[in-house]
Amino acid sequence: MTNFGTLAVHAGAEPDRTTGAVIQPISLSTTFAQNAPASPVGDYEYSRSSNPNRDSFEQALAALEQARFALAYSSGSAATANVLQSLAQDRHVVSIGDVYGGTHRYFTKVANSHGVQVTFSNSIEEDIEGLITPATRLVWIESPSNPTLSITDIAKVAAIVAKVRASRKEAIHLVVDNTFLSPYVQNPLTLGADLVVHSVTKYINGHSDVVMGVAATNDEQLHERLRFLQNAIGAVPSAFDCWLAHRGLKTLHLRAKAASNNAQVLAELLESKIGAEVIAVAYPGLKSHPRRAVVERQHRNGLGGGMISFRISGGAKAASKFCSTTKIFTLAESLGGIESLCEVPAVMTHAGIPQDKREASGVYDDLIRLSVGIEDTEDLIADVLQALQAASAN
Ligand SMILES: *Cc1c(COP(=O)(O)O)cnc(C)c1O
């Protein structure tokens, strides 16, 4: 059992040992009976520490990220918090500049309260060697980044981190937030990353009805440390959410492929409008993407994923008009679900960033972010065309 779709359907999803149920029951019990003190009847004692549905989800996710271990959390943000909590006081982190907003907030407003310092870089591939100090324990990247979909060469950064690790006693780990692509499109551990984190809320659950997170690794020591914190901090998902997210994960390959195929068609359509209704398009599946060669190395079949961002002609007003005129694309934050969404980062997901900093990283008032769903391609094309027309008639 080695191919992705087969693993998605079957990993961690054995028929129930006692009843034969093909789909695992939802195990709501918080506590588990013991035969004698410290001798549980089965594998479980108390549901925060571990429970059957979380175990199954974690096994499935580990298989899809080609990891030995995975740990589930109550949100992607909780996964991030647990990783940062694993650092001792006064340690240092190097992060890409346009990291997810909630991660940036945790780095600068929470982790700093126990002395953890974070250095941000917009050209991490070039700068990283100079930015790593003796106190550096983590390097944090997202590829593609949000919302400008810039690509970082993960293997290149991993090689530098490995070189630093070989030259000293203290651990240093490369973390990749793989939320934007899902394990179907990219497996950072196979590119040399030490830990991969996801907001399961997005592609992995895929149905916009669960908030959850996960971290996966092949490093046993790192796993043990994070597993201890998962229980000690207690930001764990419910059995019901694990069950739902596991159900969602079983179709990840179908959804991710469909979303990526739709996004490719829409990105090419938008690109054909440059000079008219469109100013620029960022999509890793386009030949014109500046890091297309890296995309071909690190994404499955060079897929571009389901996220597109583009600048519309006509400024903030046109961006607003586009997003309130679409009929299939719902104007909403978040991404990675079966349904198509659109948003204007400058006034929604990225509104907290000062304008000059925002524009320096490419987030202009006229930038629109699309999360392309799995609806029929021709309906999405028609929707984008009519919204572009309405926005340019403004
Ligand atoms: C949504 C998101 C997160 C945070 O996940 P939550 O489940 O909302 O806590 C982290 N990283 C990225 C890239 C995200 O898109």
Side-chain angles (χ1 to χ4, degrees), residues 73-80 99-103 105 140 142 144-146 177-181 197-202 210-214 334-335 369:
Y73 298 92
S74 54
S75 66
S77 304
T80 299
V99 73
Y100 175 72
T103 306
R105 182 173 55 207
W140 192 287
E142 268 174 56
S145 69
N146 174 25
D177 182 337
N178 200 26
T179 300
F180 261 50
L181 287 180
V197 296
H198 283 278
S199 170
V200 171
T201 318
K202 317 294 167 52
V210 172
V211 172
M212 220 171 109
V214 75
S334 198
L335 60 120
R369 187 184 82 179

Side-chain angles (χ1 to χ4, degrees), residues 256-298:
K257 215 182 304 182
S260 197
N261 290 342
N262 277 342
Q264 182 71 37
V265 173
L266 294 182
E268 287 171 11
L269 174 74
L270 289 165
E271 193 174 45
S272 76
K273 305 285 180 189
I274 290 179
E277 297 99 325
V278 173
I279 297 173
V281 183
Y283 182 65
L286 290 176
K287 285 195 186 73
S288 60
H289 192 287
R291 305 304 300 281
R292 182 62 199 162
V294 179
V295 170
E296 277 171 19
R297 283 203 300 276
Q298 67 190 23

Side-chain angles (χ1 to χ4, degrees), residues 165-338:
R165 181 162 42 225
S167 72
R168 68 188 208 183
K169 281 209 290 288
E170 302 82 11
I172 177 167
H173 294 123
L174 173 62
V175 184
V176 177
D177 182 337
N178 200 26
T179 300
F180 261 50
L181 287 180
S182 91
Y184 179 72
V185 181
Q186 174 172 273
N187 291 130
L189 300 181
T190 65
L191 300 164
D194 302 296
L195 185 73
V196 52
V197 296
H198 283 278
S199 170
V200 171
T201 318
K202 317 294 167 52
Y203 285 101
I204 293 173
N205 178 63
H207 295 73
S208 308
D209 50 13
V210 172
V211 172
M212 220 171 109
V214 75
T217 184
N218 286 313
D219 183 324
E220 192 158 4
Q221 248 184 318
L222 184 58
H223 168 71
E224 281 310 317
R225 175 78 182 136
L226 292 175
R227 188 175 159 76
F228 169 79
L229 290 171
Q230 180 196 38
N231 180 51
I233 295 173
V236 291
S238 72
F240 183 53
D241 281 351
C242 291
W243 187 91
L244 273 178
H246 194 172
R247 180 168 73 166
L249 170 153
K250 290 174 188 173
T251 55
L252 175 59
H253 52 304
L254 304 177
R255 291 183 287 103
K257 215 182 304 182
S260 197
N261 290 342
N262 277 342
Q264 182 71 37
V265 173
L266 294 182
E268 287 171 11
L269 174 74
L270 289 165
E271 193 174 45
S272 76
K273 305 285 180 189
I274 290 179
E277 297 99 325
V278 173
I279 297 173
V281 183
Y283 182 65
L286 290 176
K287 285 195 186 73
S288 60
H289 192 287
R291 305 304 300 281
R292 182 62 199 162
V294 179
V295 170
E296 277 171 19
R297 283 203 300 276
Q298 67 190 23
H299 295 190
R300 177 189 302 271
N301 303 328
L303 288 173
M307 301 300 294
I308 303 173
S309 63
F310 71 100
R311 293 185 64 191
I312 194 166
S313 305
K317 209 168 149 221
S320 169
K321 181 75 179 172
F322 178 94
C323 287
S324 21
T325 311
T326 50
K327 296 187 171 75
I328 297 174
F329 283 84
T330 300
L331 174 55
E333 295 185 1
S334 198
L335 60 120
I338 49 174

